[in-house]
Amino acid sequence: QVQLVESGGGLVQAGGSLRLSCAGTGRKFDMDAMGWFRQAPGKEREFVAAMSWHGTIIYADSVKGRFTISRDKDRNTAYLQMNRLEPEDTAVYYCAADPTLTGVKTGKTTAYWGPGIQVTVSS
């Protein structure tokens, strides 16, 4: 069974940092794009960051300069380092994977999703 599983979420004070991990099982994701979305209460799911299999990276404007996406293909894992967190970053964060970077970024036909993990930033 192919799965993506997020870890590393939790509660942090504003200005703090967290690192999310997304581990893939059931297949290799080394030739896929992987990325992150988030959904805050009462809001639609929004794109956060994505990285293609060959290293192209894109970020949402709201997280540029604060969040960093990376991957370890040997571990079949993607990461999201989140620094200078703000209360507005509070959301459930989802990992995503798709054969194309566009497929991840749009979030509409994305092939694989994780179940999500809560990140709460207190003021």
Side-chain angles (χ1 to χ4, degrees):
Q1 183 179 2
V2 179
Q3 288 185 315
L4 296 174
V5 180
E6 303 93 343
S7 62
L11 174 64
V12 64
Q13 288 189 329
S17 298
L18 281 175
R19 188 176 83 152
L20 303 182
S21 298
C22 170
T25 61
R27 72 186 286 275
K28 292 291 290 182
F29 288 94
D30 55 335
M31 298 299 288
D32 293 280
M34 296 184 76
W36 296 89
F37 282 73
R38 67 186 181 186
Q39 187 167 18
K43 295 188 177 181
E44 293 188 355
R45 188 179 304 189
E46 65 173 1
F47 170 76
V48 174
M51 185 173 185
S52 71
W53 68 270
H54 52 79
T56 299
I57 293 175
I58 50 176
Y59 294 103
D61 288 344
S62 58
V63 306
K64 280 181 183 176
R66 300 189 299 122
F67 291 11
T68 303
I69 188 171
S70 61
R71 296 175 64 166
D72 184 334
K73 290 184 178 181
D74 290 337
R75 295 180 181 270
N76 216 26
T77 299
Y79 304 95
L80 186 68
Q81 177 67 43
M82 305 185 293
N83 298 328
R84 291 186 282 135
L85 282 160
E86 304 167 354
E88 293 73 23
D89 296 316
T90 294
V92 176
Y93 283 71
Y94 298 89
C95 178
D98 191 87
T100 69
L101 189 60
T102 300
V104 171
K105 186 179 186 301
T106 62
K108 296 187 184 300
T109 58
T110 308
Y112 302 100
W113 290 97
I117 192 164
Q118 179 69 45
V119 170
T120 303
V121 185
S122 63
S123 57

